[in-house]
Amino acid sequence: MKRIVMFAAALFVLAALPALGDEGGEKPGQTTFRAPVDADGVQRVELVGGDYFFRPNRIIVRVNVPVELRVRKETVLVPHDLVVNAPEAGIDFKIDLEREPAVIRFTPTKAGSYPMYCDKKLLFFPSHREKGMEGVIEVVE
Ligand SMILES: [Cu+2]
């Protein structure tokens, strides 16, 4: 009987774990950047791509405030890009990442959660996105 109670308790703890990881809205493995609005009214964000991740991989920006997104990659050999396909929210671009930073400018027009990812893929290997090279742009009011 005691063993059954222990087992039930263990199950309960396991079930509660994901909820703990969700604290503050950040999921495990997420690196969050909440963009401040600079004095000139622009939200500036720096994003780095590596093998195979983006840092940060969760970007929070305000709706209807211009965004300047500076992107580069920190690795040399593997090609990476950054794709966001959300024209309904005014965010729609695809850019190859270079070692030299490039600046992407857009103004998000609709609150919501929009995926960003690298769409590179080599032959039959899993895509970079499948390997974890993805994230989210969260547009908030
Ligand atoms: Cu990639």
Side-chain angles (χ1 to χ4, degrees):
M1 183 61 190
K2 199 169 182 184
R3 199 173 280 180
I4 290 171
V5 171
M6 290 288 287
F7 184 67
L11 274 184
F12 180 78
V13 168
L14 281 179
L17 278 179
L20 290 176
D22 230 20
E23 211 164 65
E26 194 173 64
K27 299 194 185 90
Q30 264 186 340
T31 49
T32 302
F33 181 76
R34 185 182 288 268
V37 181
D38 288 349
D40 60 355
V42 177
Q43 317 181 76
R44 290 190 173 80
V45 181
E46 295 206 10
L47 178 141
V48 173
D51 306 336
Y52 293 86
F53 60 86
F54 290 117
R55 186 183 64 244
N57 57 17
R58 180 179 177 229
I59 295 168
I60 303 174
V61 293
R62 300 261 302 267
V63 69
N64 294 323
V65 178
V67 174
E68 222 176 84
L69 181 58
R70 246 173 115 80
V71 299
R72 66 181 174 88
K73 67 169 185 170
E74 64 180 10
T75 49
V76 181
L77 291 177
V78 185
H80 294 298
D81 66 7
L82 177 65
V83 181
V84 179
N85 184 19
E88 73 277 17
I91 318 172
D92 188 19
F93 58 80
K94 172 182 161 91
I95 184 171
D96 281 318
L97 301 185
E98 309 290 346
R99 301 274 297 173
E100 278 298 304
V103 174
I104 302 161
R105 289 184 177 84
F106 61 89
T107 300
T109 54
K110 194 173 156 216
S113 196
Y114 308 100
M116 60 178 185
Y117 56 93
C118 172
D119 75 351
K120 301 285 184 190
K121 178 172 166 43
L122 180 64
L123 303 172
F124 48 83
F125 293 104
S127 69
H128 292 191
R129 187 178 191 177
E130 288 171 285
K131 289 185 187 182
M133 206 162 175
E134 63 178 348
V136 66
I137 297 180
E138 289 178 21
V139 180
V140 299
E141 295 286 346

